[in-house]
Amino acid sequence: MRALRTAPLRAVHRGVWGVLAVPAALAGLVSCTGGPSLEHRGAVTASPGDSRDLAIGSAGFTESELLAQMYAALLRQAGYRTRVLTVGNRELYEPALEAGQIDVVPEYAATFADWLNAKKHGPEAAPVASPDLATTMAALRRLTAPRGLTVLAAGRAVDQNAFAVRASYAAEHRLRTLSDLGRAGLPVRLAAGDECVQRPFCAPGLRKTYGIDITAVDPKGVGTTPAKQAVQNGQDQMVLTTSTDATLDQFGLVVLADDRKLQNADYVVPVVHRARAGGPRPAAALDRLNRVLTTEDLARLNEQVDSWRRLASDVAHNYLVSKGLLKRS
C-alpha cells in the first residue's frame, strides 16, 4: 500500500516502508550524502551515458517490484547486465539514483514531481503536478534535470486514487461516474484514511468538484480489506482505493470514473541516471513496455502476486513473453 501525502492520497506502500533490502555499500553511500548532491547546480550538461551494468531500483511494494523486474528483463535482453535492488524508501533511493548507485527506477509522474518540488522548495510549496500529463511531465523534467536525472516517456499505465461503490448500489442509482453520484444527492459515508478529511484530492475535492454529500470519513485506510468490507456490507457507501486495485470484484465493488479529473496524472514513468543510462538504447528498450502495459494489466499483475502468491519475477517474465516483448526461456 502507499503513503498518504499532500497530493494525491496514497496508500502505505509508496512512502512509509517496512523492511529495507539495501546493499551495504548503497546504504553507506546514502547515509553519507545527506541530501541531493546536485541541489544547487545548474542544468546538467554531461552527455547521456550507456553503462553496460545497470542497477534497477524497486521501492519494495508489489507494483514497484513488478515494474523493476520487467525493466531489468527488457534491458537484459537489450544487452545489459542488470540486477534489481530493493530500496524501500524514496528518501533513500532518490539520492542513490543521483549518485549513480541505482541507474533506473519506476516512478509515478505526479507524485514524484510534487515530492521533488517539496524537497526543493519546502513542504508548503504549491503543487506542480496536475491532471494534465504534459504539464506534469514538464514540471517533473524541470526538477530532475539539475539532479542529473532523465525522465523517460510515460507509459499507458496510471496508478492514482480511485473511488469505488457497491455494484448493486451503482446499478440501483444508475451511477457510472463521480458526477453521477454528485447529481444523485445521496449521502455518502466514505471509507478512507483519516487524512481524507482534509486532503484536497479526497473528501474536500469530492465535495467541491463533484458536489458529493460526504457525510463522514470512516478511517479504515486506503483500499484495505476492512474498508472494502464496510462498503460491501452497506456500512459505508464508497471506498478510496487505487486504479490498479485488482480485488474489487471480490467485494462486489466497481470504480466510479473520475470524469472531471480530480486526480493528478500519476502515470508510470522510468527515471534514469543520465550519465549511466540516459542514452537512446535504454530508453528504446523500456519504451517497448510503455506501448503495451495498461492500468488494467498492472492491476492483474498485482493480483497474481498479492492474491495468487506468485513470484514477482515470474509474473513479470510471463507478462513480457505473453506480449511478445521477451523470448521464451
Side-chain angles (χ1 to χ4, degrees):
M1 305 296 292
R2 283 157 297 195
L4 295 172
R5 289 192 293 279
T6 302
L9 282 171
R10 294 297 178 202
V12 177
H13 70 224
R14 249 188 243 170
V16 181
W17 316 102
V19 178
L20 304 185
V22 185
L26 176 57
L29 178 144
V30 171
S31 65
C32 292
T33 59
S37 59
L38 302 176
E39 182 73 37
H40 303 296
R41 298 186 187 182
V44 174
T45 57
S47 298
D50 193 19
S51 173
R52 308 305 297 173
D53 190 353
L54 299 177
I56 318 301
S58 162
F61 58 93
T62 296
E63 191 169 293
S64 184
E65 178 69 13
L66 283 163
L67 290 164
Q69 291 289 346
M70 287 190 280
Y71 288 4
L74 289 171
L75 289 166
R76 191 159 52 244
Q77 181 170 258
Y80 296 90
R81 292 183 296 274
T82 64
R83 63 193 187 281
V84 174
L85 303 179
T86 300
V87 187
N89 185 310
R90 188 176 279 114
E91 286 76 8
L92 288 176
Y93 73 67
E94 191 276 331
L97 182 63
E98 289 186 33
Q101 297 296 308
I102 295 174
D103 304 303
V104 185
V105 295
E107 261 294 355
Y108 301 87
T111 295
F112 196 37
D114 280 337
W115 186 87
L116 286 174
N117 189 54
K119 184 175 182 178
K120 181 177 181 180
H121 297 292
E124 302 304 317
V128 295
S130 82
D132 181 71
L133 178 59
T135 301
T136 299
M137 290 290 285
L140 178 55
R141 285 174 169 143
R142 286 195 299 269
L143 288 161
T144 53
R147 297 174 178 273
L149 308 179
T150 296
V151 181
L152 303 183
R156 299 167 60 191
V158 58
D159 186 350
Q160 59 191 178
N161 299 329
F163 296 92
V165 299
R166 198 168 64 250
S168 58
Y169 178 87
E172 177 185 356
H173 299 288
R174 299 182 180 181
L175 307 176
R176 293 188 177 182
T177 69
L178 290 171
S179 289
D180 292 340
L181 183 56
R183 284 191 293 269
L186 299 166
V188 174
R189 181 177 164 95
L190 175 62
D194 53 8
E195 297 91 342
C196 180
V197 172
Q198 57 186 355
R199 294 294 196 250
F201 296 91
C202 200
L206 292 171
R207 293 188 182 105
K208 181 178 180 180
T209 302
Y210 290 106
I212 297 173
D213 181 15
I214 304 295
T215 60
V217 173
D218 187 3
K220 284 184 162 53
V222 181
T224 63
T225 295
K228 294 171 190 172
Q229 289 174 335
V231 177
Q232 182 184 38
N233 63 29
Q235 176 184 342
D236 298 331
Q237 287 71 52
M238 189 161 67
V239 60
L240 169 63
T241 183
T242 65
S243 58
T244 58
D245 187 337
T247 66
L248 296 177
D249 285 349
Q250 300 172 22
F251 298 89
L253 306 181
V254 293
V255 169
L256 297 181
D258 179 22
D259 54 309
R260 295 185 185 173
K261 297 189 181 299
L262 173 63
Q263 305 304 322
N264 280 341
D266 242 345
Y267 284 76
V268 174
V269 291
V271 181
V272 304
H273 183 275
R274 178 181 173 87
R276 290 182 50 82
R281 294 182 68 245
L286 296 177
D287 193 54
R288 298 180 66 212
L289 180 62
N290 282 348
R291 292 196 295 268
V292 301
L293 182 67
T294 65
T295 303
E296 293 75 19
D297 289 345
L298 200 48
R300 285 192 291 267
L301 298 178
N302 286 334
E303 181 183 30
Q304 290 180 44
V305 176
D306 291 336
S307 298
W308 304 356
R309 300 303 179 189
R310 293 181 177 174
L311 293 175
S313 55
D314 292 341
V315 172
H317 175 85
N318 292 340
Y319 176 78
L320 294 176
V321 170
S322 73
K323 296 295 183 179
L325 302 180
L326 203 64
K327 297 177 181 177
R328 293 187 181 275
S329 60

